[in-house]
Amino acid sequence: MLYIGAHLSSAGGFAKMGKTALAIGANTFQCFVRNPRGSRAKAMDPVDLERLRVLMAENGFGPIVAHAPYIMNPCSKDDGIRRLAEKMMREDLALMEHLPGNYYNFHPGSHVGQGLETGSRLIADMLNRVITPEQQTVVLLETMAGKGSEIGGRFEELRQIIDQVERSEKVGICMDTCHMSDGGYDILGNLDAVLEAFDRVVGLDRLHAVHINDSMNPPGSRKDRHARIGEGTLGTETILHFLTHPALRHLPFVLETPTDDAGHGEEIALLRQLAEKA
Ligand code: FE
Ligand code: FE
Ligand code: ZN
């Protein structure tokens, strides 16, 4: 069973996202668990979460991915911004305990001139403070395009963070196809070689989810502009290689392409059809 879905709006709550996922042919999805720019967690309704949990079980959903807000920067130079990142992640992880067994993905952050050593230490320090031994959510570091002082554009950088995390069994990776290509990994020409490098540096056992996006920019551009599947520089074939690769095909795949729910539904239908034939 291929787990494929899209980033959905969380405006109507969790059960509604489950229904939207079903309506567009998805059996996983991603969402923000708070306002993407805001700092306030939305009111948590246990009944709503319970409805989603039942819907997911009845419909054979794979794990879902909660995405941390973009403003979160745990390796900022500013102590207040770092404290806010920690507060948001702690609250979000507490919420996710009502939906055990899923993922919480975040952008490692931008070190803003402090360097990789300091940046990776600040990120790991935060993880060491917020991760509890009991938690049932695995926290995912996303592979980044490496624009500006962004950490996570190289597999080695992700490894450096994980190496400093005490409960590293609660930490994994979410790949993003647009970011990897923009970051200079040749997923278009040789996915096997990229996965071998990832396995050597980080370990494929740490890979838990994949964002499937085409890219508006050429490989190595360090830009991070997503395109619809087949409308960018990666092409449908490259995305299909991820969906059908023996080392990857069991993972949840999430579209973050610039379109609406209906558009994501079309992409899901096409990818399912092509993956079945492959
Ligand atoms: Fe992301
Ligand atoms: Fe992404
Ligand atoms: Zn992106």
Side-chain angles (χ1 to χ4, degrees):
M1 174 54 81
L2 193 54
Y3 297 124
I4 176 163
H7 186 100
L8 302 179
S9 162
S10 52
F14 286 91
K16 175 146 184 270
M17 282 189 282
K19 283 183 194 142
T20 301
L22 286 176
I24 64 171
N27 51 2
T28 180
F29 63 89
Q30 177 174 273
C31 61
F32 293 120
V33 291
R34 61 171 74 220
N35 182 315
R37 283 172 313 276
S39 49
R40 222 177 135 248
K42 63 166 63 189
M44 209 280 299
D45 178 2
V47 177
D48 184 32
L49 283 162
E50 178 58 23
R51 281 202 191 108
L52 173 61
R53 199 161 44 187
V54 170
L55 180 148
M56 285 174 65
E58 282 177 348
N59 292 280
F61 272 49
I64 61 165
V65 182
H67 197 304
Y70 292 139
I71 56 148
M72 184 186 277
N73 187 7
C75 58
S76 170
K77 224 185 273 190
D78 182 314
D79 175 62
I81 293 175
R82 291 201 305 271
R83 278 206 307 266
L84 177 62
E86 181 169 333
K87 177 175 177 281
M88 291 192 290
M89 189 175 286
R90 188 174 278 117
E91 288 172 0
D92 290 353
L93 286 175
L95 175 67
M96 290 300 289
E97 283 305 285
H98 295 274
L99 267 180
N102 295 289
Y103 299 118
Y104 183 76
N105 174 63
F106 76 108
H107 298 177
S110 295
H111 65 65
V112 283
Q114 300 176 100
L116 177 62
E117 290 302 314
T118 301
S120 65
R121 181 178 49 75
L122 288 169
I123 296 162
D125 284 352
M126 177 192 66
L127 290 172
N128 284 330
R129 286 191 296 267
V130 301
I131 291 175
T132 67
E134 308 82 32
Q135 86 179 39
Q136 301 194 62
T137 301
V138 173
V139 177
L140 307 181
L141 302 159
E142 181 166 350
T143 61
M144 302 307 294
K147 64 177 189 295
S149 66
E150 223 168 47
I151 295 180
R154 306 301 304 167
F155 299 153
E156 286 79 5
E157 298 171 2
L158 299 167
R159 175 58 189 255
Q160 194 168 331
I161 298 166
I162 294 170
D163 276 345
Q164 300 176 76
V165 176
E166 286 148 30
R167 297 189 182 99
S168 73
E169 74 280 3
K170 308 277 191 197
V171 176
I173 303 291
C174 174
M175 285 182 170
D176 185 306
T177 55
C178 169
H179 300 175
M180 285 165 87
S181 177
D182 285 14
Y185 286 105
D186 186 19
I187 56 171
L188 201 158
N190 196 343
L191 176 60
D192 277 326
V194 174
L195 292 179
E196 272 163 40
F198 181 85
D199 195 34
R200 206 176 330 114
V201 176
V202 178
L204 274 168
D205 55 332
R206 294 228 185 246
L207 179 59
H208 294 299
V210 183
H211 292 161
I212 44 171
N213 304 306
D214 213 323
S215 172
M216 289 191 185
N217 291 289
S221 61
R222 294 184 153 222
K223 282 284 206 318
D224 188 3
R225 297 279 310 282
H226 302 186
R228 293 199 67 192
I229 305 300
E231 295 181 5
T233 55
L234 292 177
T236 310
E237 273 301 298
T238 302
I239 302 303
L240 206 56
H241 285 154
F242 276 81
L243 298 179
T244 58
H245 196 286
L248 309 178
R249 61 189 175 204
H250 61 286
L251 299 171
F253 295 95
V254 177
L255 291 155
E256 298 174 311
T257 50
T259 181
D260 55 9
D261 291 344
H264 285 137
E266 289 166 15
E267 289 178 311
I268 291 168
L270 174 71
L271 289 171
R272 282 199 193 282
Q273 191 193 343
L274 293 173
E276 226 164 82
K277 275 192 272 178

